[in-house]
Amino acid sequence: MKTKGLNENTEQLLCPSCMRMHPEEVVRYREIMPFRGIDVEFDKVLYHCIVTDEYFASGDMLNANERSLKEAYRRKCGLMTAEEITELRKSYGISQTDLCILLGWGEKTVTRYEGPQIQDRAHDLILKKIKEDPEWFIELLEASRSKFSERAYNKYLSNARKLYSKAYKQYANKAERALAI
């Protein structure tokens, strides 16, 4: 069901609905749509022709709407979002290609996951494990050391050690609180 949402702005366009040049409203609304067998609620953006009262989308809007749907699906299914995957990778300072090398994945896998492709549960669990366990990242890095330049290896190791240090402090604080109970 389309319910008119917030009118973000208007743009002067040749309207494909009425075939006239006039301002088109940019409308954002919530839509529920089945995706992979699950009803997903997501933000959708369309143009609204004020002459014919019809909605249509540009190519950019179609891409943005598809991405919004897939990100909402990821959240609903407990998968990491594209943004979370990007943040994870950046926290280690590792490139998309090098993360694929580290994990033994195809060279464009992370690029796709940071874009429109939804990762499978197995890859999602690996990404979450790396996010939660910098020590495991270090172990993977040690096992793959020969696949990286010395400079890249040292950079990734240094960043992972910083994350490990933060995680270690958090675990130690939790352990201290648990023992004090």
Side-chain angles (χ1 to χ4, degrees), residues 29-70:
Y29 64 94
R30 300 289 288 169
E31 179 163 290
I32 298 174
M33 173 184 258
F35 184 76
R36 295 187 178 179
I38 296 173
D39 285 341
V40 179
E41 186 175 350
F42 67 104
D43 288 331
K44 191 168 186 176
V45 179
L46 296 172
Y47 287 116
H48 176 242
C49 175
I50 57 177
V51 175
T52 63
D53 195 30
E54 291 183 8
Y55 295 87
F56 61 95
S58 67
D60 287 343
M61 285 177 167
L62 291 173
N63 290 336
N65 292 338
E66 178 185 12
R67 187 172 184 111
S68 179
L69 169 67
K70 288 180 176 181

Side-chain angles (χ1 to χ4, degrees), residues 3-164:
T3 56
K4 197 167 175 182
L6 176 65
N7 178 359
E8 294 182 345
N9 59 20
T10 59
E11 294 182 28
Q12 187 79 17
L13 299 171
L14 174 60
C15 177
S17 182
C18 67
M19 297 308 293
R20 294 187 211 157
M21 193 76 161
H22 62 81
E24 300 288 355
E25 293 180 303
V26 178
V27 180
R28 177 180 302 274
Y29 64 94
R30 300 289 288 169
E31 179 163 290
I32 298 174
M33 173 184 258
F35 184 76
R36 295 187 178 179
I38 296 173
D39 285 341
V40 179
E41 186 175 350
F42 67 104
D43 288 331
K44 191 168 186 176
V45 179
L46 296 172
Y47 287 116
H48 176 242
C49 175
I50 57 177
V51 175
T52 63
D53 195 30
E54 291 183 8
Y55 295 87
F56 61 95
S58 67
D60 287 343
M61 285 177 167
L62 291 173
N63 290 336
N65 292 338
E66 178 185 12
R67 187 172 184 111
S68 179
L69 169 67
K70 288 180 176 181
E71 290 301 282
Y73 172 84
R74 285 175 169 176
R75 284 189 294 277
K76 187 164 187 173
C77 293
L79 300 172
M80 291 181 73
T81 65
E83 185 177 319
E84 290 170 331
I85 295 169
T86 301
E87 288 172 12
L88 159 71
R89 186 178 52 74
K90 287 181 177 180
S91 72
Y92 285 99
I94 192 167
S95 69
Q96 293 171 331
T97 302
D98 282 354
L99 182 56
C100 289
I101 290 168
L102 180 79
L103 299 173
W105 295 351
E107 69 179 33
K108 295 295 181 188
T109 301
V110 172
T111 303
R112 287 191 293 271
Y113 292 165
E114 289 183 10
Q117 187 172 327
I118 299 170
Q119 68 275 21
D120 58 36
R121 287 225 179 263
H123 282 181
D124 191 69
L125 289 171
I126 290 168
L127 293 168
K128 285 178 178 174
K129 174 76 171 161
I130 289 172
K131 179 181 178 182
E132 296 164 4
D133 190 354
E135 183 178 20
W136 190 56
F137 180 94
I138 292 169
E139 290 172 13
L140 292 171
L141 187 61
E142 290 294 330
S144 303
R145 185 176 188 158
S146 65
K147 297 177 183 177
F148 300 104
S149 70
E150 194 64 28
R151 182 176 181 209
Y153 169 82
N154 287 330
K155 174 186 166 188
Y156 304 151
L157 181 61
S158 174
N159 291 334
R161 284 179 173 160
K162 288 174 190 171
L163 293 170
Y164 178 78

